[in-house]
Amino acid sequence: MSKTVLTLLLVLLTSCISGQNSSTTSKFNFDLERSAASAALPDGWFIWGSDFKLTVDTVVKHSGRQSVRIEPSGTYKPGTFGCLATSFPAVYKGSQIELRAWMKLENVSEGPAGLLLRIDGQSGILQFDNMQNKNIRGTADWVLYSVKLPNHPAAVRINIGGMLSGKGKLWVDDFEVLVDGVPLEKAEKVPEKIFGADADHAGGHRGA
């Protein structure tokens, strides 16, 4: 094989690998796969709630290398919850926001588990659903759950997460956000919708 042909093949292979990586790796880290060596949680994710511990689990996962496990940090205290959360600016066109994620439950009782979707405006919460009315409890293998909310015109921040508000254990993995059925990475943005620094960080300072 000539050096010219070999070089062309290597270039093509590199292009294919780069294309695969760019199509499967999301800047939002919704699959929870990216984690800094010293970080307790996947990149871009944080904890809401109190008296619960969140742990990266490399044994129990829906896909990839890891998921996140949520459980009480000690004796369960009624009225408390633990939530793996992340947030991003609400700069997307469309009438509906949908959150999907896979959840696995083990002996969940005295408080349900669910996905959290919250849309914030400049002065507070505009739309909110944490699936508490679904009363998801017990033990179950991986199931894909979904929650939807209208996309509010005054929205500045979208917050998503998976939460446990009772005893037992909850694993969450492979989140996905869609705007009118289109994955967030491909959803059309509103160019003129620009927020200040305060709005960009609002999601990390309010509880669920």
Side-chain angles (χ1 to χ4, degrees), residues 107-174:
N107 300 322
V108 173
S109 65
E110 296 192 32
L115 301 181
L116 178 146
L117 177 58
R118 198 183 82 187
I119 300 175
D120 292 345
Q122 291 282 11
S123 59
I125 299 172
L126 300 172
Q127 308 277 1
F128 176 76
D129 192 340
N130 61 5
M131 300 183 72
Q132 296 292 286
N133 61 334
K134 301 294 185 182
N135 201 30
I136 301 170
R137 305 180 188 224
T139 298
D141 204 356
W142 291 104
V143 175
L144 179 63
Y145 290 88
S146 171
V147 60
K148 302 175 182 178
L149 286 175
N151 189 16
H152 200 287
V156 299
R157 202 81 187 165
I158 298 171
N159 311 275
I160 67 169
M163 64 179 293
L164 175 64
S165 57
K167 293 182 177 179
K169 298 177 182 179
L170 168 69
W171 288 263
V172 289
D173 201 356
D174 293 328

Side-chain angles (χ1 to χ4, degrees), residues 9-30:
L9 286 174
L10 289 173
V11 170
L12 287 173
L13 179 59
T14 302
S15 299
C16 290
I17 293 173
S18 299
Q20 290 174 352
N21 288 339
S22 63
S23 64
T24 58
T25 302
S26 165
K27 67 176 182 178
F28 297 103
N29 199 22
F30 288 156

Side-chain angles (χ1 to χ4, degrees), residues 40-187:
L41 293 175
D43 295 349
W45 294 82
F46 50 85
I47 300 173
W48 271 345
S50 61
D51 298 308
F52 276 72
K53 64 179 179 179
L54 278 65
T55 308
V56 171
D57 195 326
T58 58
V59 176
V60 179
K61 67 266 191 183
H62 175 255
S63 71
R65 297 181 298 104
Q66 61 191 32
S67 68
V68 171
R69 184 178 69 250
I70 306 172
E71 59 193 316
S73 56
T75 302
Y76 168 66
K77 300 176 183 178
T80 61
F81 70 93
C83 179
L84 174 71
T86 190
S87 68
F88 42 89
V91 293
Y92 301 93
K93 291 183 179 180
S95 60
Q96 184 184 75
I97 306 295
E98 178 182 4
L99 169 64
R100 298 176 184 171
W102 291 82
M103 300 197 306
K104 176 182 171 71
L105 289 71
E106 182 180 299
N107 300 322
V108 173
S109 65
E110 296 192 32
L115 301 181
L116 178 146
L117 177 58
R118 198 183 82 187
I119 300 175
D120 292 345
Q122 291 282 11
S123 59
I125 299 172
L126 300 172
Q127 308 277 1
F128 176 76
D129 192 340
N130 61 5
M131 300 183 72
Q132 296 292 286
N133 61 334
K134 301 294 185 182
N135 201 30
I136 301 170
R137 305 180 188 224
T139 298
D141 204 356
W142 291 104
V143 175
L144 179 63
Y145 290 88
S146 171
V147 60
K148 302 175 182 178
L149 286 175
N151 189 16
H152 200 287
V156 299
R157 202 81 187 165
I158 298 171
N159 311 275
I160 67 169
M163 64 179 293
L164 175 64
S165 57
K167 293 182 177 179
K169 298 177 182 179
L170 168 69
W171 288 263
V172 289
D173 201 356
D174 293 328
F175 288 81
E176 185 179 13
V177 178
L178 304 102
V179 182
D180 290 347
V182 177
L184 193 68
E185 295 87 343
K186 299 179 180 179

